[in-house]
Amino acid sequence: DADVTQTPRNRITKTGKRIMLECSQTKGHDRMYWYRQDPGLGLRLIYYSFDVKDINKGEISDGYSVSRQAQAKFSLSLESAIPNQTALYFCATSDPTGLWTQYFGPGTRLLVL
Amino acid sequence: GQQLNQSPQSMFIQEGEDVSMNCTSSSIFNTWLWYKQDPGEGPVLLIALYKAGELTSNGRLTAQFGITRKDSFLNISASIPSDVGIYFCAGQLQGTSGSRLTFGEGTQLTVNP
């Protein structure tokens, strides 16, 4: 079984809709991250959380919000989706004792019409 | 904004050839990581480098942490078709909080049998 899972894997939505992307991990890591990937831009950090009481903005947090429901769960929400949020979204986890190694989920492909 | 320059953006090679790609920055990094992303999957860690000058191998892959701490390269020897994918460098920028990674834009590798 995968250590980091994301649901859904694919999603099509309309402009203005609220959607939530979910991430779960069984690695027991405290640190979780949400990234977005666009062609030619690599991975950009949206939000990150070092434990359930700690939420931090990344470099592109505008238009997104997150919720850390438990150590194992970290959700990303788009309150009112817009077309330029069409992208591939990745969740990742890391263990502070493992230095900066991050483990990624399989990704969610989002299309906003 | 993006602080890592990764090159080349894409490579088309014949099976059996060696491959080299690199990342450079104007800023100092404390850690360099190299990831590979297969189509439809999340990035998977290949090699982690933690000390300036460090040279590390993982099978046919070799990576080095530059002495200036502003660059890193990844070499793949005797390429095979399953090496196809996108390769990303990533690093922890000096002065940023632990675990936050900056990613390069990726190198798309195509291997012709």
Side-chain angles (χ1 to χ4, degrees):
Chain A
D1 286 343
D3 294 320
V4 184
T5 58
Q6 292 183 234
T7 56
R9 292 295 312 274
N10 295 280
R11 178 75 184 267
I12 300 174
T13 192
K14 295 182 178 180
T15 297
K17 294 290 187 181
R18 181 182 188 276
I19 66 163
M20 179 182 289
L21 310 182
E22 303 196 13
C23 176
S24 295
Q25 53 113 347
T26 58
K27 298 186 75 68
H29 290 169
D30 288 327
R31 302 182 174 192
M32 299 187 73
Y33 311 78
W34 274 104
Y35 290 90
R36 113 174 228 170
Q37 184 178 31
D38 298 278
L41 293 178
L43 289 155
R44 293 182 292 166
L45 184 63
I46 305 173
Y47 271 94
Y48 61 105
S49 168
F50 285 172
D51 64 44
V52 293
K53 298 177 183 176
D54 176 80
I55 302 289
N56 304 280
K57 292 183 177 180
E59 58 182 299
I60 54 164
S61 58
D62 287 348
Y64 302 95
S65 62
V66 290
S67 173
R68 185 80 184 268
Q69 300 97 321
Q71 186 205 39
K73 295 184 182 297
F74 192 34
S75 300
L76 176 72
S77 294
L78 286 67
E79 296 300 326
S80 180
I82 56 177
N84 75 3
Q85 291 177 311
T86 293
L88 193 52
Y89 290 85
F90 287 103
C91 173
T93 75
S94 71
D95 176 355
T97 62
L99 294 174
W100 296 281
T101 302
Q102 293 187 13
Y103 300 90
F104 287 82
T108 294
R109 188 170 297 278
L110 175 66
L111 174 61
V112 183
L113 301 175
Chain B
Q2 192 62 263
Q3 300 195 52
L4 277 183
N5 297 308
Q6 185 171 349
S7 64
Q9 287 187 335
S10 61
M11 302 181 75
F12 298 84
I13 62 170
Q14 293 297 125
E15 183 176 0
E17 290 183 0
D18 296 343
V19 172
S20 183
M21 59 192 78
N22 69 86
C23 278
T24 61
S25 172
S26 58
S27 303
I28 290 174
F29 281 76
N30 291 332
T31 302
W32 285 96
L33 306 172
W34 285 92
Y35 285 86
K36 182 192 177 196
Q37 183 180 19
D38 290 324
E41 302 292 332
V44 174
L45 182 69
L46 298 173
I47 293 179
L49 302 160
Y50 301 112
K51 290 168 48 178
E54 181 179 355
L55 184 70
T56 297
S57 294
N58 177 7
R60 293 179 295 105
L61 278 60
T62 302
Q64 186 161 29
F65 192 145
I67 290 291
T68 65
R69 296 168 68 189
K70 294 181 179 180
D71 64 308
S72 177
F73 72 75
L74 174 70
N75 287 342
I76 305 173
S77 63
S79 59
I80 58 178
S82 63
D83 290 334
V84 166
I86 303 176
Y87 291 79
F88 290 99
C89 63
Q92 188 217 6
L93 188 63
Q94 188 180 54
T96 60
S97 59
S99 294
R100 283 195 63 173
L101 296 178
T102 300
F103 283 81
E105 301 97 331
T107 295
Q108 173 74 60
L109 178 64
T110 301
V111 180
N112 297 313

